[in-house]
Amino acid sequence: MRTRILTAALAAGVLLLWSAVIEALPSKGSTVTVQVMSVKVMKAPGFLGATVATVVRGEHLTFEDAQKDWYKVTTGKGKTGWVNRSSVVDKKVALSTRPGGGTGGASQDEIALAGRGFSPEVESAYRGKHPELDFSHVDNVEKLDVDTEALAKFAADGKVGGGK
């Protein structure tokens, strides 16, 4: 009897947790906003492989589906593919070039979104205050654009990281 009660309680807990996970997903057709400097929209859900587009911070994408931590999205230019959910915020965010944003000011989410990287002005001021620092390595890393298909082939050939 006690085992049945524990099993029923466990099943109820799993169902409750599952419904919370499902509810946390954006609804089909809703807007998600890119919250990182740039992200590649992948042909399949995964960090390695073919890309269909590159999108930048503030760009709005249409949510289509989800698979684990990956969202299937459509870009404003009609390209459909997958982005990791950590690269987007699950709502439409209006970015503004004016301090404080639009008429209502910036929300906490918009402020967090804007704070995820240096703006050219902030970086320039920081460089000015720290002339002893060598930014050439940062500049070189920012210019890197890894070919994810070549990286996937490298991983597969070397059987690295579960490469297939």
Side-chain angles (χ1 to χ4, degrees):
M1 180 72 164
R2 187 174 189 190
T3 305
R4 286 183 184 174
I5 292 172
L6 288 175
T7 303
L10 181 60
V14 168
L15 285 174
L16 187 61
L17 181 61
W18 181 251
S19 66
V21 168
I22 289 173
E23 197 168 308
L25 291 175
S27 58
K28 183 177 169 95
S30 67
T31 299
V32 295
T33 305
V34 178
Q35 68 177 352
V36 294
M37 291 297 279
S38 70
V39 64
K40 293 180 179 185
V41 180
M42 306 302 289
K43 186 174 183 178
F47 290 108
L48 301 177
T51 61
V52 296
T54 299
V55 291
V56 296
R57 181 180 16 216
E59 197 164 329
H60 297 144
L61 309 171
T62 303
F63 176 83
E64 304 295 339
D65 197 7
Q67 195 175 89
K68 295 187 180 179
D69 286 339
W70 290 87
Y71 287 176
K72 186 175 186 180
V73 296
T74 301
T75 69
K77 295 181 180 178
K79 301 285 186 179
T80 299
W82 298 84
V83 295
N84 190 273
R85 69 184 289 170
S86 65
S87 300
V88 296
V89 62
D90 297 349
K91 69 178 191 173
K92 187 172 186 176
V93 177
L95 300 182
S96 173
T97 56
R98 295 185 300 156
T103 58
S107 71
Q108 286 299 103
D109 287 342
E110 290 167 328
I111 291 168
L113 180 65
R116 293 194 185 260
F118 279 138
S119 69
E121 295 81 15
V122 171
E123 186 173 343
S124 177
Y126 192 83
R127 284 179 189 245
K129 289 179 184 175
H130 299 280
E132 75 281 6
L133 297 178
D134 177 9
F135 286 87
S136 64
H137 301 294
V138 174
D139 294 337
N140 289 335
V141 168
E142 287 178 339
K143 292 176 189 173
L144 287 176
D145 185 24
V146 176
D147 179 354
T148 53
E149 287 184 81
L151 187 57
K153 183 180 179 335
F154 173 81
D157 290 349
K159 298 182 178 132
V160 176
K164 298 174 184 168

